[in-house]
């Protein structure tokens, strides 16, 4: 089955009510989704009668391999991409063309209006992204592969880390492990945050030595074309002598109590995951569980400062969003992260993140690493 052909047909069908007879897809990730083309310069003109990829000579051979059966317009190096796209548009005779409002620059739109002025252009938002949110079987397999790579990389990471390593050294090492485990590259710059650095949800790795802290947060993912995104928080990855514990380790909230509350929040959210669930309600379930399981004297939900999760696929962050201000309703085929986190300045953070495939009556956990912080290593 050629998934690219059926995706293009679905897109055309979805855009019928927009009053356009064609669509110009310019966002590279969306072009890839609809054609299989992985290069950086390509524009797809799509209608009921046309599917033309405009690119340049650097990609001529690659397109033959990746996009069999697709019409291709290779621009000469004397012409810009906009000029070549305008030529294809003029030749097509299309009257109303939808453009990707979230991605096309004002300069590109002006150039097309100038050089292919017979067509009128309608800004459309999120049409391809909406299709991308529901994964087909080939996409699910690739996300599963990305999760598998990430898990193998994590096992290398835990086996090989030393207490004298810095956050930066470990983050760099993780990128290597991801490649060694079969990934093309890291899905994003890994987060390795020791001790109180974990209080920064998106901590950039520093030269802090990890053996000086009694907890370590790692957020990483693999890119195999599709992506994975996982987080684990390790308790005392190294035996830390009491004298070397920093102030935050000695005086803060008990790690086990905070961890357990986050684990309960994660599980409460997973129970809500199914086709038809409101994304906002799943976020709420996690927050309620976090409050309920908070240690005495603190409401951990006050320190859960981001949304519960996000869709994942060709991009690390895509639809649907799971958060309070989301009106998304989950659909079978969505792949989403669940990642409740608690961030206590001066103490550190705990986050547990896994990737889930939404089904008709529940969900499938794609990752297998245990949540028990003692069982991970
Ligand atoms: Zn993450
Ligand atoms: Zn994430």
């Amino acid at each position: 089955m050629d998934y690219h052909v059926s995706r293009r047909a679905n897109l055309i069908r979805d855009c019928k009510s927009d009053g356009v007879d064609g669509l110009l897809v310019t966002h590279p990730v969306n072009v890839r989704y609809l054609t299989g083309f992985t290069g950086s310069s390509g524009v797809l003109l799509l209608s009921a009668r046309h599917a033309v990829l405009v690119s340049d000579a650097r990609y001529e051979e690659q397109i033959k391999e990746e996009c069999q059966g697709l019409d291709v317009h290779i621009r000469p190096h004397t012409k810009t991409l906009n000029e070549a796209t305008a030529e294809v548009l003029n030749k097509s005779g299309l009257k109303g063309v939808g453009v990707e409002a979230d991605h096309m620059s004002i300069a590109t739109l002006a150039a097309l209006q100038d050089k292919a002025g017979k067509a009128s252009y309608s800004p459309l938002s999120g049409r391809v992204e909406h299709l991308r949110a529901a994964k087909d079987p080939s996409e699910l397999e690739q996300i599963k592969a990305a999760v598998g790579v990430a898990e193998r990389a994590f096992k290398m990471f835990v086996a090989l880390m030393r207490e004298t390593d810095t956050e930066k050294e470990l983050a760099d090492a993780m990128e290597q492990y991801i490649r060694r485990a079969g990934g093309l590259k890291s899905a994003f710059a890994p987060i390795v945050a020791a001790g109180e650095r974990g209080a920064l949800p998106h901590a950039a790795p520093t030269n802090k030595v990890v053996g000086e802290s009694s907890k370590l947060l790692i957020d990483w993912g693999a890119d195999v074309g599709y992506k994975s995104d996982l987080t684990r928080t390790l308790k005392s990855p190294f035996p830390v002598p009491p004298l070397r514990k920093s102030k935050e380790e000695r005086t803060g909230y008990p790690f086990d109590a905070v961890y357990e509350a986050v684990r309960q929040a994660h599980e409460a959210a997973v129970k809500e995951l199914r086709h038809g669930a409101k994304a906002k309600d799943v976020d709420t379930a996690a927050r309620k569980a976090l409050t309920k399981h908070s240690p005495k004297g603190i409401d951990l939900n006050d320190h859960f400062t981001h949304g519960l999760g996000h869709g994942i696929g060709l991009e690390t962050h895509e639809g649907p969003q799971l958060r309070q201000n989301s009106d998304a309703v989950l659909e079978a085929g969505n792949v989403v992260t669940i990642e409740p986190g608690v961030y206590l300045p001066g103490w550190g953070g705990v986050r547990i993140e896994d990737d889930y495939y939404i089904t008709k009556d529940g969900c499938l956990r794609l990752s297998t690493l245990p949540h028990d912080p003692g069982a991970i290593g």
Side-chain angles (χ1 to χ4, degrees), residues 328-376:
V329 176
L330 299 182
E331 289 176 37
N334 290 156
V335 176
V336 297
T337 69
I338 293 294
E339 49 179 305
V342 162
Y343 310 96
L344 302 170
W347 182 87
V350 171
R351 181 163 70 248
I352 307 170
E353 177 178 24
D354 278 319
D355 304 336
Y356 294 87
Y357 176 69
I358 308 297
T359 63
K360 260 211 149 63
D361 42 18
C363 67
L364 189 70
R365 192 194 294 260
L366 303 180
S367 31
T368 59
L369 291 173
H371 284 181
D372 173 359
I376 295 169

Side-chain angles (χ1 to χ4, degrees), residues 32 142 145-147 149-150 178-179 182-188 221-228 313-316:
R32 177 176 181 169
Q142 292 183 74
V147 171
V149 168
I178 286 167
R179 286 193 171 88
L184 294 171
K185 58 184 179 189
S186 214
F188 50 88
D223 184 347
V224 303
Y226 281 72
K227 296 177 170 60
S228 56
L314 283 171
E315 291 178 290
T316 304

